[in-house]
Amino acid sequence: MTDRTTGPDQFTGATPDNALRDADRAEESAGPMLAADGTPLKKSLNRALRRQKLRALMLISPLLIFILVAFIAPIADMLFRSVENQIVSNTLPRTVEALEDWDPNETELPSEGTFRALYVDMFLAAERKLHTRLGTRLNYEYTGVSSQFRRTGRDVDDFGELYEDQFNDLNPAWEDPMTWARILGDPDWLAEAEGAEAPGPDFVLRDGAETALPTTAETYAAFAEYIQTEDDDSPTEEEPWTLIYTALYWDLMRDGFAYSGPESELVNEAAAAVDGFETVPMRDNFIESDEGWGNPEVWATIQTYAPNYTPGYFLNAVDAQLTPDGIEQRPENEQIYWILFKRTIFMSLTITFSCILLGYPVAWILANLPMRTANLLMILVLLPFWTSLLVRTSAWKVMLQQQGVINDILVWIGLVDDANRLIMINNQFGTIVAMTHILLPFMILPLYSVMATIPPSYLRAAKSLGATDWTAFWRVYFPQSVPGIGAGSILVFILAIGYYITPEIVGGTTGTFISNRIAYHISSSLNWGLAAALGSILLGAVLILYWAYDRIVGIDNVKLG
């Protein structure tokens, strides 16, 4: 009788996968087999395979985490920023809701209710210093809105002083913070807050306050939260905002108003008197603060960019814009990004081609010289890596300028007249020359690593069969060096398309790349959404070119040695 109790090591195959296949075949022919510990052999092998895969995963997990944090996460954040637009709806939630029924094609301004909603939103945003950020965001779409928001943010506190003065003149009790706390605060909260050290317990609205005084309760709750969290004070000790007096006036003016809560005598006294209060429409307050609020296009811009996600950044990145009527092309004098994209692709391809022309002979010489001489010359190829990129670029600026070294030499030997010196800087030529020099090693190194593996005997065999030097090179040597050209081209092109330091220094106005505009929006204009959209388009262009290269040449043919 055959003993079928055995261990995984007795089966043929060096890996758990092989052993697992052997176990499957044996199980099919002779029934379940057992490992040395008595468990089914297939289960034991599966467990060993899982442990092996887990160990492999643990070994590469630091690299995976690094790639996730340093590469995948930033790209995902960039893609999200290119469509994210929550600042409008978060800062002006009431205004956005009120504008839903407004037709931007009408010449009439929004209703008084919309201006009241804007007043509440603007007051709260100004207290939290958020109105300037919103103004900056909308200014990307409609010039002048940023200053309009800043000016109104300074004035909005004055809009409610008219109502504050009239309530205080009616009864001095309205000046007492405890009056407001008793009317709107929960009794249990009020009992804890009285005598407690500031900021005291978190504010809690009284049951029924939102029904009797909805706008007042909402604004007072925002006031209490701000006072406790931002100022570290208690709402029982701080006089309310002027906004709250205005909100109380609106609530008391509602048809059928009735109140029977705390301080009912005081509230009903005010309700009977508000008909005689002096009042100013919020529309007039806003237009007096800034005439821009009387322009329907400003309101149309707010309505257009109210959604949390927008294609506006991508449209701006391709010289278009999102309007209330749909997508429109920007005026011709404002179209710059499409020109920059075309220039970036063209110049990157030119730089790549220049590096091939200059790097191929150098790599061939290095691959065919004796090892000692080749290593010495390789030091010269690597020497630029030991010098700062900024220093190398600045050196080209010195050499290429009209009073620079190259022009001086050309004038000295008589090739150029001193009055007609060549303009080689602050243009595309200067960018191409400087970046070709900087990126040339990235072309030479892959070419050399591939050429070093090509046996010289191939050329000798071709010549012995009657081929000329050119035929032997073109038909035998060059095809074998194509993988090195492919690797070098990918390295140089992807590096070139994202360069911005060198074009910024030597490119002037006609030699800059789209990356320079991205850097400007990130560091100067702070339009991160547009910068993210431009970066996303650039990433997409690189992926498309990469796909085209794979279809034409084949990425499997790219080698580094």
Side-chain angles (χ1 to χ4, degrees):
M1 184 174 179
T2 304
D3 183 7
R4 292 188 287 106
T5 302
T6 182
D9 295 336
Q10 292 175 268
F11 281 87
T12 60
T15 66
D17 287 321
N18 293 332
L20 189 59
R21 284 193 293 270
D22 291 338
D24 286 336
R25 288 193 294 267
E27 186 173 303
E28 291 175 2
S29 60
M33 304 190 69
L34 303 177
D37 59 358
T39 60
L41 181 59
K42 187 175 180 180
K43 182 178 179 180
S44 178
L45 291 172
N46 280 326
R47 187 164 54 243
L49 185 59
R50 283 196 300 270
R51 285 198 299 266
Q52 186 184 53
K53 291 181 178 179
L54 183 61
R55 285 195 297 268
L57 180 62
M58 293 294 290
L59 289 174
I60 65 172
S61 59
L63 177 60
L64 291 177
I65 294 173
F66 176 79
I67 292 175
L68 179 65
V69 173
F71 184 71
I72 303 298
I75 290 179
D77 181 68
M78 177 185 69
L79 295 174
F80 176 73
R81 285 182 180 274
S82 64
V83 296
E84 187 269 335
N85 190 54
Q86 299 177 20
I87 185 173
V88 179
S89 59
N90 288 344
T91 310
L92 304 177
R94 302 165 187 83
T95 309
V96 168
E97 183 178 355
L99 282 173
E100 289 180 356
D101 298 328
W102 179 67
D103 186 358
N105 294 317
E106 296 181 359
T107 57
E108 292 291 330
L109 291 175
S111 65
E112 173 68 13
T114 305
F115 277 92
R116 289 186 176 186
L118 177 63
Y119 169 59
V120 176
D121 288 335
M122 183 66 75
F123 194 103
L124 297 176
E127 288 293 332
R128 293 176 169 83
K129 304 297 187 292
L130 298 177
H131 64 294
T132 54
R133 292 175 53 196
L134 175 60
T136 301
R137 166 68 187 97
L138 294 176
N139 198 72
Y140 300 147
E141 316 301 337
Y142 191 87
T143 305
V145 173
S146 179
S147 60
Q148 179 177 328
F149 269 76
R150 285 198 300 271
R151 189 177 296 111
T152 304
R154 292 192 297 266
D155 297 341
V156 72
D157 189 50
D158 300 333
F159 294 176
E161 288 185 352
L162 175 66
Y163 304 102
E164 178 185 16
D165 293 339
Q166 293 181 94
F167 274 108
N168 292 338
D169 291 341
L170 177 66
N171 195 318
W174 290 111
E175 297 184 55
D176 185 4
M178 283 298 298
T179 299
W180 296 90
R182 285 191 291 268
I183 294 173
L184 299 166
D186 182 78
D188 293 336
W189 168 81
L190 189 61
E192 293 182 38
E194 286 185 293
E197 185 177 351
D202 292 341
F203 175 74
V204 179
L205 270 175
R206 178 178 60 82
D207 290 340
E210 290 180 291
T211 303
L213 302 166
T215 309
T216 309
E218 179 187 9
T219 53
Y220 188 82
F223 158 77
E225 178 189 3
Y226 181 85
I227 289 297
Q228 289 186 308
T229 57
E230 301 294 334
D231 293 347
D232 203 28
D233 287 326
S234 172
T236 61
E237 300 174 359
E238 291 292 324
E239 186 175 352
W241 293 329
T242 58
L243 166 67
I244 300 175
Y245 287 93
T246 308
L248 178 61
Y249 172 79
W250 293 338
D251 284 335
L252 296 181
M253 288 294 292
R254 287 184 298 124
D255 293 336
F257 173 79
Y259 180 79
S260 59
E263 302 286 347
S264 58
E265 183 178 344
L266 181 66
V267 174
N268 288 320
E269 176 194 20
V274 290
D275 281 336
F277 277 15
E278 180 185 355
T279 182
V280 177
M282 277 299 153
R283 176 184 302 190
D284 295 347
N285 282 326
F286 275 96
I287 295 178
E288 182 181 354
S289 174
D290 192 289
E291 293 181 354
W293 294 113
N295 184 357
E297 293 185 19
V298 173
W299 293 94
T301 302
I302 295 175
Q303 186 188 58
T304 301
Y305 289 90
N308 290 336
Y309 302 97
T310 176
Y313 290 122
F314 278 100
L315 293 174
N316 288 334
V318 293
D319 297 322
Q321 58 184 336
L322 184 64
T323 68
D325 298 325
I327 299 173
E328 295 180 0
Q329 198 70 23
R330 285 193 175 275
E332 188 173 349
N333 61 341
E334 297 180 11
Q335 298 179 14
I336 59 174
Y337 296 115
W338 182 240
I339 296 174
L340 287 174
F341 273 116
K342 291 191 294 184
R343 180 192 300 167
T344 300
I345 298 297
F346 167 75
M347 293 181 65
S348 297
L349 291 173
T350 303
I351 291 166
T352 303
F353 185 69
S354 300
C355 288
I356 293 174
L357 290 180
L358 296 176
Y360 197 95
V362 175
W364 185 85
I365 292 173
L366 291 173
N368 289 276
L369 284 175
M371 183 61 67
R372 184 172 181 178
T373 306
N375 289 339
L376 182 62
L377 294 178
M378 183 61 70
I379 295 176
L380 300 179
V381 174
L382 299 175
L383 189 61
F385 289 127
W386 304 342
T387 309
S388 169
L389 172 64
L390 191 61
V391 172
R392 284 180 280 163
T393 304
S394 301
W396 276 111
K397 190 173 183 67
V398 172
M399 294 179 66
L400 293 174
Q401 61 184 323
Q402 285 188 286
Q403 303 301 322
V405 176
I406 296 178
N407 264 305
D408 286 344
I409 293 175
L410 293 176
V411 170
W412 179 65
I413 62 179
L415 291 179
V416 175
D417 184 69
D418 188 47
N420 298 303
R421 289 173 173 251
L422 301 178
I423 301 177
M424 298 181 290
I425 200 69
N426 296 331
N427 51 30
Q428 293 186 15
F429 178 81
T431 301
I432 291 172
V433 170
M435 289 187 61
T436 298
H437 166 252
I438 291 170
L439 297 177
L440 189 58
F442 293 99
M443 179 64 71
I444 294 176
L445 294 176
L447 282 171
Y448 168 72
S449 64
V450 171
M451 290 179 177
T453 63
I454 301 176
S457 58
Y458 288 3
L459 286 176
R460 291 196 296 268
K463 291 178 182 179
S464 68
L465 294 175
T468 62
D469 290 342
W470 170 251
T471 302
F473 167 77
W474 186 248
R475 299 287 298 276
V476 177
Y477 191 86
F478 182 78
Q480 297 182 79
S481 66
V482 167
I485 296 176
S489 298
I490 290 177
L491 283 174
V492 171
F493 179 79
I494 292 179
L495 289 173
I497 205 172
Y499 250 63
Y500 71 95
I501 295 179
T502 302
E504 183 71 24
I505 295 176
V506 301
T509 57
T510 62
T512 53
F513 286 8
I514 191 65
S515 52
N516 296 101
R517 203 65 186 172
I518 295 173
Y520 165 76
H521 287 306
I522 289 177
S523 60
S524 298
S525 74
L526 302 181
N527 191 351
W528 290 2
L530 180 54
L534 292 170
S536 299
I537 294 174
L538 191 62
L539 175 63
V542 171
L543 293 177
I544 291 173
L545 291 172
Y546 182 86
W547 172 83
Y549 182 90
D550 182 42
R551 298 285 295 180
I552 297 172
V553 179
I555 201 64
D556 293 338
N557 294 324
V558 175
K559 297 178 181 177
L560 294 174

